[in-house]
Amino acid sequence: MDTQTQLGKLGLFDAKVPRYTSYPTAPHFNRVVGSGHFSSWIKAIPEGAEVSLYVHVPFCRRLCWFCACRTQGTQSDKPVQAYLETLKTEIAMLGAHLPKNVRLSRLHWGGGTPTLLSPGMMSELAGAIRDIAPFTDTTEFSVEIDPNEIDGARLDALAAAGMNRASIGVQDFDEEIQKSIGRLQGYDITRWAAEEIRARGVASLNADILYGLPHQTKARITESVQKLLSLNPDRVALYGYAHVPWMAKRQQMIPSDALPTPQERLALFDTARRLFLWDGYDEIGIDHFATKDDGLSVAQKAGRLRRNFQGYTDDSADVLIGLGASSISRFPQGYAQNAPATGAHTGAIREGRFSTTRGHVFSDDDRLRSRLIEQLMCEFRIDAAEITRDFDISSAALHDMLSKVARAYAGHLKLDDNGLFIPQEARPLTRMIARQFDTYEMNEQGHSSAI
């Protein structure tokens, strides 16, 4: 029996499994957490601490059909300017709650399309942030850049604001595929953006590419990956397209009959993966690739790789604060999510309160399971010594927990006194294996969790 057949028998091609950028995942958040939790958790940050900040800009000039993010289209700058004023007020409110001498270790602008902000808006937003929390000498400031929605003036403004990592969405360079997903973006304009970013001294360049798109074949993804490699990105995210038209209505525009089968998706991923490895990139977790000196590669080798809402990260901050509509914050105490709708978020800020509408307060069991899942997602193993050192669980109890998972995937996992390990050939199952430790997912499906 070949490997693909074995993986299929374990449900790989049928399973709908979370990406595990958080635990519990966002669908399991509740409305117990509100603005009071957010305010108290901000005030509990130690003086002088370093924190991360995410700013969400939910606007796009055009709505790509494949995207399932919280975004809205606009051809006018008027709603963008109004939203910027809300952000500035929200930032000032945050500054009033932050303890003394808090600094930023990471700043990320995402969306939507943050680069639809005018140069003046970019400078205003960056200035408002620096007023409440200055950068450190090693702060990483990254921005998601749409090559169709950027120019020299805006790149100048971002560079002047301190951007030192840029992230370009590629998806695929094939024109037929681009038309089928509502994302027309030629290679030449993408190359221009990459060159102009580098010309302004931005040393680090990320790129996103998708597999599992309509009309995608091994030959086509090979050509797209080779074009992407010609841009010399430092870091690449190879994401699987999730077709969920019942959740993201715009995906109904995508021809579902042209989507690859689950087996073909795996072949597409493997084709792209081999190209990145052949070009000398390190494989990072389940879907990232990075050059040898990139921060992710360094963190992986040092055992410091982590997982958050942006995917894999080398950010070691205990606190990630999300600003803007729908943004999610992570504190040692739990998660807090802002109101998803721009109007509701703006209304709360105008009333002088944070817009937190849902979240989750961590239990000790949540913290344990979160780390177990993160270890699997980052290192393809669970380190028994670390878990028993850092959490209130005995070696015997942990071994029993791991044994149940090993039995569920008999012959595919390695279990010994050091912990649990996922061999290379079983790594497509990683998220499914991680789900075995997810109490919320397993209980929802009527299964027992690993404990």
Side-chain angles (χ1 to χ4, degrees), residues 71 115 135 141 160 163 171 206 208 212 233 304 321 338 357 367 378 390 396 420 428 440-442:
T71 58
T115 50
F135 287 5
F141 175 19
M163 179 183 74
Q171 321 322 333
N206 299 1
D208 295 346
R304 295 186 288 100
I321 301 170
N338 291 346
T357 56
R367 294 186 176 92
C378 292
D390 295 344
L420 188 71
Y440 304 94
E441 278 285 313
M442 298 302 283

XYZ file of all heavy atoms in Angstrom, residues 71 115 135 141 160 163 171 206 208 212 233 304 321 338 357 367 378 390 396 420 428 440-442:
193
model
N -13.204 41.739 5.067
C -12.828 42.890 4.252
C -14.078 43.505 3.616
O -15.136 42.871 3.556
C -11.852 42.488 3.127
O -12.463 41.476 2.319
C -10.556 41.939 3.706
N -2.006 48.859 2.103
C -1.311 49.780 1.210
C -2.256 50.646 0.387
O -1.797 51.427 -0.443
C -0.358 49.010 0.271
O -1.044 47.919 -0.356
C 0.830 48.481 1.057
N 9.579 51.827 19.268
C 10.270 50.630 18.795
C 11.493 50.353 19.667
O 12.029 51.234 20.323
C 10.758 50.828 17.354
C 9.671 50.802 16.314
C 8.329 50.723 16.650
C 10.008 50.856 14.966
C 7.336 50.697 15.685
C 9.033 50.832 13.981
C 7.700 50.759 14.335
N 8.929 45.514 11.809
C 7.726 46.195 11.343
C 7.419 45.661 9.942
O 8.133 45.952 8.978
C 7.948 47.703 11.331
C 6.812 48.521 10.742
C 5.527 47.993 10.606
C 7.031 49.831 10.351
C 4.489 48.755 10.068
C 6.005 50.614 9.815
C 4.737 50.068 9.667
N 10.056 55.222 5.515
C 10.319 56.286 6.489
C 9.721 55.963 7.849
O 10.258 56.355 8.893
C 9.763 57.609 5.967
N 9.317 50.441 8.212
C 9.051 49.089 7.712
C 10.362 48.401 7.335
O 11.144 48.935 6.565
C 8.133 49.146 6.481
C 7.829 47.778 5.888
S 6.797 47.839 4.380
C 8.014 48.439 3.174
N -0.341 34.305 -4.718
C -1.408 33.313 -4.968
C -1.029 32.386 -6.126
O -0.827 31.206 -5.938
C -2.766 33.969 -5.210
C -3.116 35.189 -4.362
C -2.674 35.147 -2.917
O -2.527 34.101 -2.305
N -2.451 36.322 -2.331
N 8.652 38.689 2.359
C 7.805 37.490 2.446
C 6.935 37.396 1.205
O 6.634 38.399 0.582
C 6.854 37.548 3.649
C 7.564 37.622 4.978
O 8.779 37.656 5.049
N 6.777 37.655 6.035
N 3.299 35.036 -0.227
C 2.285 33.987 -0.050
C 1.940 33.410 -1.413
O 1.784 34.148 -2.394
C 0.996 34.558 0.555
C 1.190 35.088 1.970
O 2.228 34.774 2.581
O 0.308 35.815 2.439
N -4.110 24.299 -4.550
C -5.506 23.868 -4.462
C -6.468 24.797 -5.168
O -7.684 24.732 -4.948
N 12.501 35.660 -2.447
C 11.885 35.960 -1.145
C 12.659 35.290 -0.017
O 13.233 34.216 -0.194
C 10.480 35.379 -1.280
C 10.636 34.264 -2.275
C 11.667 34.745 -3.259
N 12.807 27.781 19.145
C 12.029 28.953 19.561
C 10.899 29.287 18.593
O 10.297 30.362 18.697
C 12.946 30.178 19.700
C 13.984 30.080 20.785
C 14.744 31.397 20.933
N 15.652 31.642 19.807
C 15.389 32.441 18.788
N 14.225 33.078 18.705
N 16.273 32.629 17.824
N -1.341 42.415 20.752
C -2.522 43.280 20.822
C -3.034 43.542 19.411
O -2.278 43.983 18.543
C -2.193 44.615 21.516
C -1.674 44.373 22.938
C -3.426 45.519 21.550
C -1.096 45.611 23.603
N -12.047 41.908 18.802
C -12.839 43.114 18.567
C -14.074 42.791 17.730
O -14.126 41.766 17.049
C -12.003 44.165 17.836
C -10.904 44.737 18.707
O -10.896 44.556 19.916
N -9.954 45.413 18.082
N -15.838 41.918 21.839
C -17.168 41.308 21.903
C -17.133 39.821 22.225
O -18.167 39.245 22.576
C -17.908 41.479 20.570
O -17.118 40.923 19.511
C -18.172 42.944 20.273
N -3.907 25.819 28.522
C -2.487 26.157 28.352
C -1.675 24.911 28.018
O -0.775 24.938 27.174
C -1.951 26.829 29.616
C -2.573 28.201 29.894
C -1.910 28.879 31.080
N -2.446 30.225 31.286
C -3.471 30.520 32.082
N -4.060 29.540 32.772
N -3.897 31.758 32.201
N 4.907 23.097 15.192
C 6.204 23.742 14.958
C 7.357 22.753 14.811
O 8.277 22.974 14.022
C 6.529 24.707 16.098
S 5.454 26.155 16.182
N 7.076 22.200 32.603
C 6.368 23.476 32.554
C 4.895 23.395 32.944
O 4.256 24.438 33.151
C 6.465 24.070 31.144
C 7.897 24.441 30.776
O 8.741 24.523 31.681
O 8.157 24.641 29.569
N 3.603 9.862 33.884
C 2.698 8.741 33.597
C 1.425 9.220 32.906
O 0.965 8.610 31.931
C 2.349 8.010 34.894
N 6.447 12.125 21.741
C 5.794 11.683 20.509
C 6.441 12.386 19.323
O 6.737 13.582 19.384
C 4.304 12.033 20.576
C 3.395 11.487 19.478
C 3.217 9.979 19.640
C 2.035 12.184 19.531
N 1.806 15.117 6.547
C 0.535 15.657 6.057
C -0.618 15.485 7.048
O -1.637 16.167 6.946
C 0.288 14.843 4.778
C 1.649 14.477 4.301
C 2.426 14.216 5.566
N -12.196 20.966 22.483
C -13.367 21.626 21.924
C -13.777 20.994 20.598
O -14.959 20.712 20.368
C -13.086 23.121 21.750
C -12.667 23.774 23.041
C -11.315 23.908 23.366
C -13.610 24.221 23.965
C -10.913 24.482 24.561
C -13.226 24.794 25.161
C -11.876 24.913 25.466
O -11.479 25.466 26.659
N -12.822 20.746 19.724
C -13.123 20.131 18.429
C -13.623 18.698 18.594
O -14.609 18.301 17.992
C -11.866 20.130 17.547
C -11.604 21.425 16.828
C -12.529 21.643 15.650
O -12.711 20.710 14.840
O -13.075 22.753 15.537
N -12.932 17.924 19.408
C -13.270 16.510 19.531
C -14.616 16.320 20.217
O -15.416 15.467 19.835
C -12.164 15.766 20.284
C -10.811 15.802 19.571
S -10.854 15.120 17.894
C -10.875 13.372 18.244
